């Protein structure tokens, strides 16, 4: 059976960086190729780093660094259009006590800095490498890169496609794959620095360690991120087309003031979305369409090439698990390779078996939550807020989140601590 000692990872997103570290630690010869010339500090702004993602990163030695960049979330509240709290729980505080990790907000750029450091130090992270072609034979894989300045080929035993939702690796090994599905929702996504000093913003939204949501027109969301008093806010709304036809539309800089104005016009003047938009520097505002990928059920590998993260199971953002799932994949794939003595076929099969149901459930839950939040059906609209309020006030929302997302983490969170 074919064993792998050298591995090339295509894509330096959260999944690619995590798996590069994990494989390096178990003794593989690793190289990571990212098409961007450098990591752009604003890319992706903030995201929810949940206990399952944090535990997985701690498993490969990043516990202290992660603690420094995560802003813990203790409280979850839902507001109405007048910014009055209609549901809340501070049970999230308990996560810290029971798991040792809080749900948290992190800046993507800060997590990237943490993960890239050991790779840069070892000289195995290559920027400006846009993978264009992969060919595999019985002895190895040849990868071609094409950029303005250079064309180059690399030969390795194994390749991991961690190149995101519009993966070129997927197109190469599964040419029949359908493109990502646009759900006719767009999002404006902003970062506000020093939220404590933004006195024009309603104090409810500025509350420390708190995630705030409103569901009157789609979804409005704010939470603290990073360790320097930043706050991220987002508004998700219905649209006919995504903001740009650019292939990288998911992280495009905001360039459509008209669409932002149209989106804001749906909200009452008392709604904090107006204050958040006014307090946000235009450079810190992103605009993109929401997509997911049909879950692939024909395996995530072909011979020596294996997929991970958004390239095989891109999810909608409603449960904040996309990056966390990519991190889990990375740990799971490294564990399977080590356990199978670096024999690719059994390791890839075991990895797929372990990850398929887990990621499919997350993708589906997120999709159904999105459908519920955005439904135009009058009956669903009328019960939406009471149902969400009940789920949050009764603790049901957190219990199911905990059981589903943290109970099935590949790095076991102590089972006695998980709510059954
Ligand atoms: C609005 C929104 C909010 C989100 N919020 C959250 C959240 O709160 N919590 C959460 O866990 N997740 C969240 N996510 C999801 C998360 O961003 C993704 O799931 C996660 O980034 C996937 O990681 P990845 O490594 O698979 O891919 P990516 O992070 O997309 O990385 C892919 C990398 O591959 C590179 N690349 C692409 N093609 C090539 C090529 N041909 N050659 C070389 N390099 C290439 C790209 O430049 C990129 O750096 C959110 C997503 C969206 C859209």
């Amino acid at each position: 059976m074919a064993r792998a000692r050298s591995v090339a990872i295509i894509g330096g997103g959260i999944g690619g960086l995590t798996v590069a570290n994990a494989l390096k630690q178990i003794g593989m010869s690793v190289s990571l190729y990212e098409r961007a010339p450098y990591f752009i500090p604003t890319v992706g702004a903030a995201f929810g780093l949940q206990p399952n993602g944090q535990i997985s990163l701690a498993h490969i030695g990043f516990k202290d660094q992660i603690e420094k960049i995560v802003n813990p979330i203790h409280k979850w509240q839902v507001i109405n259009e007048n910014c009055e709290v209609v549901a809340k729980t501070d049970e999230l505080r308990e996560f810290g006590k029971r798991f040792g990790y809080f749900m948290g907000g992190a800046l993507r750029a800060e997590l990237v800095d943490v993960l890239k450091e050991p790779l840069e130090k070892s000289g195995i992270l290559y920027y400006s490498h846009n993978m264009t072609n992969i060919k595999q034979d019985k002895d190895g894989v040849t990868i071609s890169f094409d950029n303005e300045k250079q064309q180059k080929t690399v030969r390795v035993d194994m390749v991991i496609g961690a190149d995101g939702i519009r993966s070129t690796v997927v197109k190469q090994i599964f040419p029949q794959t359908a493109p990502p599905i646009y759900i006719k929702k767009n999002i404006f996504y902003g970062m506000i620095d020093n939220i404590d000093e933004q006195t024009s913003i309603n104090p409810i939204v500025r509350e420390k360690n708190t995630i705030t949501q409103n569901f009157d027109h789609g979804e409005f969301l704010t939470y603290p991120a990073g360790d320097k008093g930043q706050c991220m806010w987002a508004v998700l709304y219905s649209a006919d087309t995504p903001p740009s036809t650019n292939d990288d539309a998911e992280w495009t800089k905001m360039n459509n003031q008209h669409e932002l104005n149209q989106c804001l016009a749906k909200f009452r003047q008392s709604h904090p979305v107006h204050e958040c938009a006014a307090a946000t520097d235009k450079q810190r505002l992103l605009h993109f369409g929401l997509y997911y990928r049909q879950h692939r059920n024909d395996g995530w590998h072909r011979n020596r090439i294996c997929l991970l993260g958004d390239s095989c199971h891109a999810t909608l953002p409603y449960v904040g698990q996309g990056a966390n799932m990519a991190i889990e994949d990375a740990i799971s794939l490294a564990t399977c390779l080590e356990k199978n003595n670096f024999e690719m076929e059994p390791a890839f099969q075991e990895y797929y078996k372990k990850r398929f149901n887990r990621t499919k459930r997350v993708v589906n839950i997120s999709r159904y939550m999105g459908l519920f939040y955005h439904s135009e059906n009058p009956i669903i609209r009328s019960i939406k807020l009471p149902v969400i309020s009940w789920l949050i006030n009764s603790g049901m929302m957190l219990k199911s989140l905990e059981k589903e997302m943290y109970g099935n983490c590949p790095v076991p969170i102590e089972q006695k601590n998980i709510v059954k």
Side-chain angles (χ1 to χ4, degrees):
M1 276 205 204
R3 266 178 214 202
R5 280 291 161 201
S6 60
V7 53
I9 295 151
I10 310 299
I14 303 300
L17 290 165
T18 308
V19 79
N21 279 288
L23 296 178
K24 181 173 162 290
Q25 289 178 15
I26 57 172
M28 290 192 83
S29 165
V30 176
S31 47
L32 190 156
Y33 300 94
E34 165 57 43
R35 70 176 166 193
Y38 58 94
F39 291 119
I40 304 160
T42 54
V43 162
F47 75 107
L49 192 50
Q50 300 202 26
N52 56 320
Q54 293 177 52
I55 284 181
S56 301
L57 290 170
H59 181 72
I60 53 167
F62 289 104
K63 186 172 194 298
D64 294 345
Q65 294 96 313
I66 296 303
E67 255 169 30
K68 284 193 195 122
I69 63 166
V70 169
N71 193 323
I73 296 170
H74 297 160
K75 191 168 142 189
W76 184 358
Q77 62 186 13
V78 177
I79 56 169
N80 64 17
E81 265 202 301
N82 294 322
C83 212
E84 295 155 345
V85 176
V86 293
K88 67 175 177 194
T89 175
D90 58 8
E91 288 287 303
L92 281 118
R93 194 186 294 275
E94 296 300 308
F95 285 179
K97 287 189 204 146
R98 288 190 290 124
F99 310 148
Y101 299 88
F102 290 99
M103 185 182 275
L107 301 188
R108 189 183 147 113
E110 288 186 352
L111 179 58
V112 165
D113 276 347
V114 165
L115 296 173
K116 78 175 187 187
E117 200 194 321
L119 309 176
E120 277 187 343
K121 269 195 187 144
S122 313
I124 57 173
L125 173 48
Y126 300 91
Y127 297 99
S128 295
H129 276 67
N130 181 37
M131 188 282 284
T132 50
N133 196 31
I134 309 182
K135 277 205 168 69
Q136 51 180 331
D137 53 55
K138 69 176 183 29
D139 299 320
V141 191
T142 304
I143 314 163
S144 306
F145 297 96
D146 190 7
N147 268 328
E148 277 169 26
K149 291 184 192 152
Q150 56 181 340
Q151 290 192 333
K152 135 175 178 187
T153 57
V154 168
R155 178 89 177 157
V156 282
D157 297 334
M158 169 185 148
V159 168
I160 296 176
D163 52 343
I165 189 166
R166 290 182 177 76
S167 168
T168 313
V169 178
V170 167
K171 285 179 200 149
Q172 301 258 326
I173 62 169
F174 298 107
Q176 305 304 324
T177 302
I181 300 161
Y182 172 55
I183 61 156
K184 297 204 163 193
K185 304 284 174 260
N186 293 345
I187 181 169
F188 285 103
Y189 205 105
M191 288 294 300
I192 303 172
D193 289 328
N194 301 319
I195 187 75
D196 287 345
E197 292 167 19
Q198 305 289 343
T199 49
S200 60
I201 298 179
N202 194 310
I204 298 278
V205 172
R206 286 190 281 126
E207 240 183 277
K208 283 197 187 309
N209 307 107
T210 302
I211 184 166
T212 304
Q213 281 176 299
N214 167 261
F215 298 97
D216 284 304
H217 305 285
E219 186 188 359
F220 167 76
L221 169 78
T222 70
Y223 59 79
D227 64 342
K228 296 182 190 69
Q230 299 99 323
C231 173
M232 98 96 207
W233 66 274
V235 57
L236 291 85
Y237 63 98
S238 298
D240 289 330
T241 52
S244 157
T245 53
N246 180 330
D247 258 7
D248 290 325
E250 64 267 31
W251 299 121
T252 350
K253 276 229 175 79
M254 212 290 287
N255 57 9
N256 193 337
Q257 186 66 42
H258 177 65
E259 197 162 330
L260 176 62
N261 293 345
Q262 274 187 332
C263 169
L264 296 182
K266 293 191 192 127
F267 294 88
R268 281 189 198 168
Q269 268 317 309
S270 54
H271 196 288
V273 70
H274 298 287
E275 297 151 10
C276 288
T280 306
D281 181 336
K282 287 284 177 293
Q283 295 300 313
R284 309 296 300 279
L285 197 53
L286 303 171
H287 185 205
F288 40 89
L290 296 187
Y291 296 82
Y292 70 99
R293 252 188 191 287
Q294 203 65 267
H295 221 72
R296 56 170 342 110
N297 55 12
D298 53 352
W300 292 351
H301 78 283
R302 282 294 176 267
N303 305 324
R304 294 169 173 270
I305 305 172
C306 189
L307 304 172
L308 157 164
D310 275 10
S311 68
C312 47
H313 52 68
T315 175
L316 294 167
Y318 298 98
V319 290
Q321 277 287 345
N324 291 279
M325 284 297 122
I327 293 168
E328 283 192 6
D329 282 356
I331 305 304
S332 180
L333 181 53
T335 310
C336 291
L337 277 160
E338 192 178 27
K339 191 178 145 209
N340 287 282
N341 209 7
F342 302 96
E343 282 182 12
M344 285 172 277
E345 190 57 35
F348 293 163
Q349 279 183 20
E350 186 179 343
Y351 160 69
Y352 175 65
K353 212 168 148 196
K354 284 193 163 148
R355 299 300 297 155
F356 179 79
N357 283 339
R358 164 94 163 134
T359 50
K360 188 171 183 183
R361 282 185 72 84
V362 170
V363 172
N364 285 342
I365 292 170
S366 198
R367 229 179 105 210
Y368 294 132
M369 281 179 79
L371 290 172
F372 180 61
Y373 289 168
H374 293 285
S375 176
E376 297 295 333
N377 177 307
I379 298 172
I380 295 184
R381 280 180 72 99
S382 69
I383 60 164
K384 184 162 61 177
L385 196 54
V387 168
I388 293 171
S389 302
W390 176 79
L391 285 170
I392 289 181
N393 288 333
S394 67
M396 284 300 288
M397 189 82 111
L398 281 189
K399 275 188 194 131
S400 40
L401 175 87
E402 195 177 311
K403 191 173 163 196
E404 190 64 53
M405 306 300 167
Y406 313 151
N408 296 316
C409 179
V411 178
I413 298 176
E414 275 202 70
Q415 289 300 312
K416 68 178 163 49
N417 293 331
I418 299 283
V419 171
K420 294 281 187 279

